């Protein structure tokens, strides 16, 4: 594979992975995530997990790493969304 | 490539792509997206666009289609987020 294409793939992997970080920080800062769809992030997390297994099967470290890290970010987003939703309900 | 691995990749592509639809529908239903980070979805859209070009370079239709459709969903989410944020400001 041409080096430029490899770089493009790695860049795409890094950007789509790190792209979740500002969302995570915004929820932590504002302590709310009501507008985020739990069904959406749950579905995307499932898909990203499948991509991680796909990366394992094809032996592609960039695919494994990008999707494993993305999965962790999304799990953190789901966790915070549930936490702050509960805090609102219990007046905490 | 083993057919099971191909299926896994296609399933991952379909799920991560369709995963954005519930978020799009939630914003349209509730007419607000304040908790969604514009920096996050802008960055992810950029990464997804790069994946689309990567798919073109490697000639992989699943990568091209999954990321092109995901890009369209995210552009729609960005558009609606800006629209409803402006509607709130102008009291529209």
């Amino acid at each position: 594979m041409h080096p430029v294409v490899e770089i493009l793939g790695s860049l795409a992997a890094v950007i789509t992975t790190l792209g979740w970080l500002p969302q995570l920080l915004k929820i932590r800062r504002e302590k709310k995530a009501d507008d985020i769809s739990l069904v959406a992030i749950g579905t995307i997390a499932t898909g990203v997990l499948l991509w991680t297994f796909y990366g394992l099967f094809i032996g592609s470290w960039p695919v494994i790493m990008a999707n494993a890290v993305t999965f962790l970010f999304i799990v953190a987003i789901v966790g915070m969304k549930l936490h702050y939703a509960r805090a609102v309900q219990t007046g905490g």
Side-chain angles (χ1 to χ4, degrees), chain A:
Chain A
M1 190 182 292
H2 194 285
V4 167
V5 178
E6 290 258 7
I7 292 166
L8 181 64
S10 307
L11 204 58
V14 168
I15 290 177
T16 37
T17 300
L18 294 183
W20 291 90
L21 201 53
Q23 182 63 70
L24 206 129
L25 298 174
K26 179 177 170 71
I27 297 171
R28 229 184 79 190
R29 197 174 53 241
E30 297 174 7
K31 304 213 180 326
K32 76 185 182 70
D34 308 338
D35 300 331
I36 291 173
S37 160
L38 203 54
V39 174
I41 45 178
T43 308
I44 294 170
T46 308
V48 161
L49 197 59
L50 290 182
W51 275 123
T52 309
F53 287 120
Y54 178 77
L56 283 168
F57 276 119
I58 64 171
S60 161
W61 274 104
V63 174
I64 297 166
M65 288 310 298
N67 287 284
V69 172
T70 299
F71 182 72
L72 293 178
F73 279 151
I74 298 180
V75 164
I77 288 171
V78 170
M80 286 198 292
K81 177 175 168 71
L82 297 175
H83 171 72
Y84 291 125
R86 214 174 310 129
V88 168
Q89 277 166 0
T90 56

